[in-house]
Amino acid sequence: MKTKIFIAALPALFLLASCGGQSSDSAKTTTEQTAASQSGEVLNIDTAATMVSWKATHKGGLAPRWGTIGVSSGSLSVEKEALTSGEFMINMNALYVDPASVTEKDKKSTDLEGHLKSPDFFDTARMPTAKFIITKVEPFKGDKKSALIADPNYLISGNLTLKDSTLNVTFPAKVEITKTAVSATAKFVIDRSSWGINYKSEGSPENWAISKDVEIGLSLSAKK
């Protein structure tokens, strides 16, 4: 069994579009919740075909940066044609900055990689792993037009751990399950400062240099 996960735009796992304030597309964020019970068929993640992608911007949406991060392990559970639980571990030391996103002549993508791994951001020497654990899956009953993805049919909640902080986020998702495959897509926004990632975003908004908003996109594909 193989599961392919692509988290698009996890668009630094994690800085996005506007300079300040919380976006109207922000995921509902609460304290850490109990993980969903594992039931049904367990699908192991294919780490070779799994990745996280991220996108970040500076003040006012300027100078966007993006890249990828590897996923080291994980699983999904499916029962009676429904997603019931799942989790995946993200290798923060595998964080990569796409050179195409760094266009200034005096800047290098490798320098940004080093900075994102430093204590200013993810401090990967001390905390090399981020993770997401599903805590709840339920039918989506909100306004589909307000979602960042087309035609969501599920509302997914999960504990997102970045650095040494864990918070629960809830977001719309489109999940499709057949006899042979599972696919899911989601996209939502978080405030990185809620996880203590405050670099260049402290004090009053006019002094911020990097957006506090983070857009996370998720795309799942699993084959039995």
Side-chain angles (χ1 to χ4, degrees):
M1 298 178 292
K2 291 185 177 181
T3 301
K4 297 180 180 179
I5 296 184
F6 174 75
I7 302 176
L10 208 116
L13 224 90
F14 303 117
L15 317 159
L16 163 82
S18 64
C19 161
Q22 190 130 1
S23 167
S24 60
D25 298 316
S26 294
K28 178 183 177 182
T29 303
T30 63
T31 57
E32 182 177 3
Q33 304 295 308
T34 302
S37 299
Q38 188 180 79
S39 61
E41 183 177 9
V42 179
L43 309 176
N44 292 322
I45 288 176
D46 179 2
T47 57
T50 299
M51 75 179 77
V52 166
S53 70
W54 58 267
K55 184 178 181 181
T57 73
H58 291 75
K59 187 172 184 176
L62 300 176
R65 313 295 196 207
W66 60 86
T68 61
I69 311 174
V71 173
S72 57
S73 64
S75 65
L76 295 174
S77 296
V78 177
E79 183 176 32
K80 296 180 180 179
E81 298 187 0
L83 178 67
T84 60
S85 65
E87 65 178 57
F88 52 88
M89 311 296 284
I90 302 163
N91 179 8
M92 297 305 297
N93 278 311
L95 187 152
Y96 167 76
V97 176
D98 189 333
S101 71
V102 183
T103 58
E104 297 89 343
K105 292 181 179 180
D106 61 337
K107 297 184 181 297
K108 297 180 180 179
S109 61
T110 51
D111 291 339
L112 178 55
E113 284 177 16
H115 193 192
L116 291 174
K117 294 176 183 179
S118 78
D120 283 342
F121 289 95
F122 299 107
D123 199 2
T124 62
R126 290 198 310 115
M127 290 160 285
T129 303
K131 62 183 177 180
F132 182 81
I133 301 175
I134 293 175
T135 59
K136 189 175 183 180
V137 181
E138 57 187 326
F140 179 76
K141 298 180 180 179
D143 180 8
K144 293 185 177 182
K145 293 182 179 180
S146 66
L148 293 177
I149 59 165
D151 197 28
N153 57 356
Y154 278 84
L155 197 64
I156 294 178
S157 299
N159 294 328
L160 176 61
T161 299
L162 299 174
K163 297 186 75 170
D164 53 0
S165 298
T166 301
L167 293 173
N168 193 266
V169 295
T170 299
F171 51 86
K174 184 173 183 178
V175 180
E176 296 177 290
I177 299 175
T178 69
K179 292 181 179 180
T180 60
V182 178
S183 64
T185 56
K187 187 180 291 185
F188 56 96
V189 176
I190 63 171
D191 177 351
R192 64 185 169 95
S193 67
S194 297
W195 281 262
I197 305 171
N198 296 306
Y199 182 76
K200 296 293 185 179
S201 66
E202 295 181 295
S204 54
E206 63 269 19
N207 296 321
W208 297 350
I210 301 175
S211 172
K212 293 174 70 173
D213 282 348
V214 177
E215 184 182 275
I216 297 178
L218 173 63
S219 177
L220 300 169
S221 178
K223 293 183 180 179
K224 300 179 181 179

